[in-house]
Amino acid sequence: MSMNIHGPKGTKVRFCNRGGWDGEYEQAAQILKHGDVYVVRRINVYQSSSEVFLEGFKEGFNSVLFEDVYEVEHGIDYGRIRELTNVPFTEFIKQHLKPTVIWRNAEHCFISIDDFQCDPFDPEVEEIDDPVVVVDVKFSGVLYTFWYNTGTYQYNYSILGENIVNRYLAISKGQQPELPGVYTYSPAKEEF
């Protein structure tokens, strides 16, 4: 997946070896270093392509040669979430938390992997499950719990309710909470 071409000035992107027209990567690689992070100065979006201009460089580059860089923002490690899941899920979390981080500070963020019944060598496991990545973000008075199935790429979230009061109380104390164990996904299946 390439970078978000509608990202604001100052967005960080990583130069990657993929995509573009014949020879574009090779030309860019003479100027940029593969894997390095650069800051976006501006992006020109055309009908069938887009060109990104980076701070410190005069020329523009095809945007497909770059991917977004996720960092810790408001105490939430989006880079780790992206590493364990994918870009759409990471963006899903960012968009759902965007209104809350404007008004409240994140008090705790836990990223867990629920690998219960995922061991194919465990003789007691009848059906192998895919690991589920669980992200708990607690703000003053509210807890968001996001989950992502690594096998089906489905994801969803919940906000503090009776079923997760114990999670909220544990996280309030700065303790790693017990994993929910049961996850419900939206009917729309995400394909990647």
Side-chain angles (χ1 to χ4, degrees):
M1 178 171 263
S2 63
M3 65 177 279
N4 175 7
I5 60 171
H6 302 291
K9 177 181 177 177
T11 299
K12 293 183 180 179
V13 293
R14 180 174 288 109
F15 180 52
C16 300
N17 182 8
R18 62 157 186 265
W21 303 102
D22 289 341
E24 277 188 318
Y25 173 78
E26 291 76 13
Q27 286 180 324
Q30 292 176 359
I31 301 166
L32 307 174
K33 185 175 179 191
H34 177 79
D36 276 6
V37 174
Y38 298 92
V39 177
V40 173
R41 190 175 44 159
R42 83 171 191 269
I43 301 170
N44 293 344
V45 180
Y46 306 111
Q47 187 173 354
S48 62
S49 66
S50 55
E51 186 176 29
V52 61
F53 292 85
L54 307 170
E55 287 186 5
F57 299 92
K58 190 171 24 172
E59 54 277 288
F61 305 95
N62 190 332
S63 65
V64 300
L65 300 173
F66 300 88
E67 68 180 7
D68 290 314
V69 172
Y70 291 98
E71 299 177 307
V72 175
E73 296 176 28
H74 308 286
I76 304 155
D77 191 348
Y78 292 110
R80 179 74 174 136
I81 295 167
R82 165 61 185 97
E83 179 184 308
L84 293 171
T85 63
N86 62 15
V87 170
F89 179 66
T90 306
E91 287 296 324
F92 177 79
I93 292 176
K94 284 183 87 167
Q95 291 309 309
H96 277 80
L97 296 181
K98 193 175 189 177
T100 307
V101 297
I102 292 171
W103 302 105
R104 300 172 188 228
N105 293 322
E107 295 175 353
H108 300 284
C109 178
F110 290 105
I111 302 168
S112 312
I113 299 174
D114 186 351
D115 58 2
F116 180 69
Q117 294 194 339
C118 296
D119 184 359
F121 303 108
D122 185 346
E124 296 189 21
V125 174
E126 292 177 19
E127 187 176 327
I128 308 299
D129 291 336
D130 296 311
V132 174
V133 176
V134 180
V135 179
D136 289 296
V137 183
K138 184 196 174 293
F139 296 91
S140 172
V142 72
L143 171 67
Y144 289 86
T145 300
F146 299 88
W147 56 88
Y148 172 89
N149 185 299
T150 59
T152 64
Y153 309 112
Q154 292 179 304
Y155 49 84
N156 209 338
Y157 78 108
S158 65
I159 300 176
L160 178 66
E162 286 181 25
N163 58 331
I164 54 174
V165 169
N166 289 337
R167 294 181 70 70
Y168 179 86
L169 294 174
I171 291 171
S172 293
K173 296 174 186 173
Q175 300 170 351
Q176 182 87 24
E178 288 186 33
L179 294 165
V182 176
Y183 306 95
T184 308
Y185 299 97
S186 310
K189 184 177 179 183
E190 299 291 333
E191 296 290 334
F192 300 98

